[in-house]
Amino acid sequence: MLRRPTLVAAALLAAGALLLSGCTGDPAPEATATAITPDPNASVDIRLVLEPGNLDIRETAGAALDQILIDNVYQGLVSRTPEQDIEPSLASDYEVSPDGLTYTFTLREGVLFHNGEELTPEDVVWSLEQVRDTETFRDSARLVNVESITADGQTITLSLSAPDSTLLWNLTGRAGLILKKGDKTDRKTAANGTGPFRLESWKQGDSITFARNEDYWGEKAKVAEVVFSYLPDNQAALAGALAGDFDALTGFDANLTDQIEAGGDFTVELGASTDKGTLAFNSKKAPLDDVRVRQAIRQAIDKEAIVTALGAGTTQYGPIPELDPGYEDLSSVAPYDPEAARALLAEAGAENLSLTLTLYSGYGTTVSQILVSNLNDVGITLKVDAVEFPTWINDVYINQDYDLSFVLHTEARDFENWANPAYYFTYDNPEVQRLYAESIASTDETAAADLLKQAARIVSEDHAADWLYNGASVVAVSSGIAGLPSVNVNERLDVAEVVKSAE
């Protein structure tokens, strides 16, 4: 049997936690819990960018829910560290059979939900079955190979119909979250989990507040309260931080580093991430159904200029970022070459094109302005339609009514979207779907990653989209705060270890 003991993640050791080259100057050392005198009764205010439309993590799309609810409020049998390591959570241990068909978890005893009810094996079985059997639940398809879920005492067994190399990873996300069977909580506005924080309040349009769960089964949170304040504008966030309104700013503009660090009260930390600045092409619509037009758009875009303008991050030329399995440098597939772009457009009979870029207004104008300029240089007029997030969800994500769309996809290991013709990317390639299915079925991690690499190259060579940059996690942290993660914080922000100085 392959045994996976509890992993203890050392902060900022793995390559995934190294600071990115986009940082200006030498980064200041991160504050540690031992460098300050913690105040266990403290309230910490953290600025976030994108507020969720509702709190129903089972049925509502968007990384804004994963970012704050998973780990802090909701938990699964297993979890993941910012460095992408899998570790036990509600399960104290687990085993995987050599054939990859049987997963056995030992459920912890004495775990309570926030409403005071005890976590039972029946809750686990019910939760996983509900996700697997309800297609409208987010990530339901991630449990498609799970044939049966049974409990014998505290032992939970998942039996698979076929090996699934992604199952453990999937169980660290929405697919694996454990809820209370029969719970009547309105998940759109409230929450009842097992995590170190409970949902205290939600002031829509302003903030979400967590309070420490005093009955938590593990080590209790280091602060009494965390307030997530939603403020999309970076200048307003900067002003708020300098006025003492915030203890930390996530999604910060690295170009404002000098301004926020000038007084010595804040330090900007750049961490690796799986954020993918993705320019989606609606290949179901002319002229984007012509691969030459898609390639021309890609070769017209100066990605180095985008990274420079953002002040952080690295270039990316394919669907898989460096932190994820299957990464390969695909910069040679569609290098920046405006002359080649103009020739491709002429060959396709697509000169003087006019296209619309639909994007969420909270992303600002830096990327869209560069795209407008770059595409204008090759004869493409780009109209920018900046919309509110619910509008983007309805028009682009659901109805696929768009030409081009820019989205910062923060999710790790989300290549399955390129193997799903129904996803808003509109990409449909049977060979990619076959390679992805073979990767899923592999019981060898190296072989599974190699199959993903093959599939990712095809996606890039089909010019299914463009990948403008691999973003950095840009976090501004006050000198009185320690323990705040700096890796992949736009995807997950576990705040249980955050401490605030009593001074």
Side-chain angles (χ1 to χ4, degrees):
M1 305 288 277
L2 178 62
R3 180 170 290 275
R4 304 289 181 90
T6 300
L7 302 176
V8 179
L12 302 177
L13 287 182
L18 295 177
L19 298 182
L20 299 181
S21 59
C23 185
T24 54
D26 295 327
E30 182 180 4
T32 63
T34 57
I36 64 177
T37 302
D39 177 6
N41 298 314
S43 175
V44 173
D45 198 308
I46 302 173
R47 174 265 189 157
L48 301 183
V49 176
L50 183 59
E51 182 180 14
N54 70 69
L55 302 181
D56 190 348
I57 200 162
R58 280 193 157 179
E59 299 195 61
T60 304
L65 290 177
D66 305 64
Q67 185 182 34
I68 63 169
L69 292 182
I70 300 181
D71 298 326
N72 295 314
V73 173
Y74 293 119
Q75 297 176 305
L77 294 169
V78 287
S79 187
R80 70 181 80 148
T81 69
E83 294 77 23
Q84 314 302 290
D85 294 321
I86 298 173
E87 60 182 6
S89 182
L90 293 179
S92 60
D93 200 1
Y94 61 91
E95 296 178 351
V96 183
S97 63
D99 62 5
L101 295 177
T102 305
Y103 289 67
T104 306
F105 301 85
T106 303
L107 186 65
R108 296 184 190 274
E109 297 187 24
V111 176
L112 298 178
F113 284 93
H114 295 159
N115 67 356
E117 294 186 83
E118 186 176 359
L119 168 68
T120 68
E122 185 182 17
D123 295 326
V124 177
V125 173
W126 174 82
S127 293
L128 299 180
E129 287 182 341
Q130 283 276 302
V131 173
R132 181 196 61 186
D133 299 339
T134 309
E135 292 184 2
T136 58
F137 285 177
R138 300 294 304 168
D139 291 352
S140 173
R142 292 178 182 264
L143 301 185
V144 66
N145 287 333
V146 178
E147 195 168 60
S148 68
I149 307 160
T150 59
D152 182 7
Q154 295 298 110
T155 300
I156 310 296
T157 302
L158 276 60
S159 299
L160 278 60
S161 57
D164 185 342
S165 63
T166 67
L167 180 62
L168 275 178
W169 179 264
N170 292 337
L171 291 175
T172 69
R174 295 194 189 202
L177 298 181
I178 306 304
L179 307 182
K180 184 63 183 177
K181 182 179 180 180
D183 185 18
K184 302 301 182 182
T185 299
D186 180 359
R187 287 191 293 271
K188 292 184 182 296
T189 59
N192 180 30
T194 58
F197 289 95
R198 56 181 177 80
L199 176 65
E200 179 74 8
S201 64
W202 180 19
K203 298 178 183 178
Q204 295 190 33
D206 180 75
S207 62
I208 290 176
T209 299
F210 289 172
R212 180 169 54 217
N213 176 14
E214 300 294 351
D215 297 320
Y216 184 54
W217 58 266
E219 186 176 350
K220 291 181 176 58
K222 303 294 193 301
V223 294
E225 179 182 79
V226 175
V227 180
F228 297 107
S229 295
Y230 292 97
L231 188 60
D233 185 78
N234 270 301
Q235 287 288 350
L238 170 64
L242 296 179
D245 295 337
F246 305 120
D247 297 297
L249 310 175
T250 68
F252 190 61
D253 184 348
N255 292 303
L256 301 176
T257 295
D258 289 345
Q259 295 180 52
I260 200 166
E261 289 188 341
D265 293 330
F266 278 83
T267 299
V268 173
E269 300 170 5
L270 301 184
S273 85
T274 55
D275 296 359
K276 301 165 288 292
T278 305
L279 182 65
F281 301 154
N282 190 345
S283 57
K284 290 182 178 180
K285 295 176 61 175
L288 295 165
D289 57 349
D290 190 323
V291 66
R292 295 169 296 184
V293 174
R294 301 195 301 270
Q295 181 179 350
I297 292 173
R298 294 189 71 190
Q299 295 206 253
I301 298 171
D302 185 353
K303 297 178 180 62
E304 294 283 358
I306 291 176
V307 170
T308 298
L310 293 173
T314 59
T315 54
Q316 182 173 328
Y317 295 85
I320 298 179
E322 238 179 309
L323 281 182
D324 284 354
Y327 169 77
E328 179 184 7
D329 180 358
L330 295 171
S331 56
S332 63
V333 174
Y336 175 55
D337 190 338
E339 185 175 343
R342 284 188 285 269
L344 283 164
L345 291 171
E347 180 184 329
E351 296 105 328
N352 301 316
L353 285 181
S354 180
L355 298 170
T356 298
L357 171 69
T358 306
L359 78 167
Y360 165 53
S361 57
Y363 285 139
T365 61
T366 299
V367 171
S368 59
Q369 286 177 346
I370 293 174
L371 293 178
V372 168
S373 176
N374 284 173
L375 295 187
N376 182 68
D377 288 345
V378 300
I380 298 175
T381 300
L382 187 65
K383 174 188 174 184
V384 178
D385 186 15
V387 300
E388 293 302 310
F389 190 62
T391 301
W392 183 90
I393 287 287
N394 183 71
D395 294 353
V396 178
Y397 187 82
I398 296 175
N399 293 324
Q400 299 178 6
D401 182 16
Y402 73 100
D403 295 333
L404 307 178
S405 184
F406 171 77
V407 176
L408 185 62
H409 281 274
T410 65
E411 302 86 351
R413 304 192 190 189
D414 60 351
F415 184 82
E416 75 270 8
N417 294 328
W418 299 104
N420 177 11
Y423 197 66
Y424 88 93
F425 289 156
T426 72
Y427 180 65
D428 187 359
N429 186 311
E431 177 66 7
V432 169
Q433 293 157 25
R434 180 188 67 80
L435 288 167
Y436 179 69
E438 289 185 8
S439 174
I440 295 294
S442 176
T443 57
D444 180 87
E445 290 183 4
T446 301
D450 184 65
L451 288 161
L452 286 177
K453 182 185 296 184
Q454 295 176 48
R457 174 170 282 276
I458 294 172
V459 172
S460 186
E461 291 175 345
D462 278 348
H463 308 290
D466 202 9
W467 299 273
L468 306 181
Y469 61 94
N470 179 192
S473 287
V474 185
V475 185
V477 186
S478 75
S479 57
I481 295 294
L484 186 72
S486 62
V487 177
N488 246 16
V489 298
N490 292 332
E491 187 202 24
R492 296 278 189 89
L493 186 59
D494 185 344
V495 292
E497 297 297 319
V498 173
V499 297
K500 186 173 183 177
S501 174
E503 300 176 0

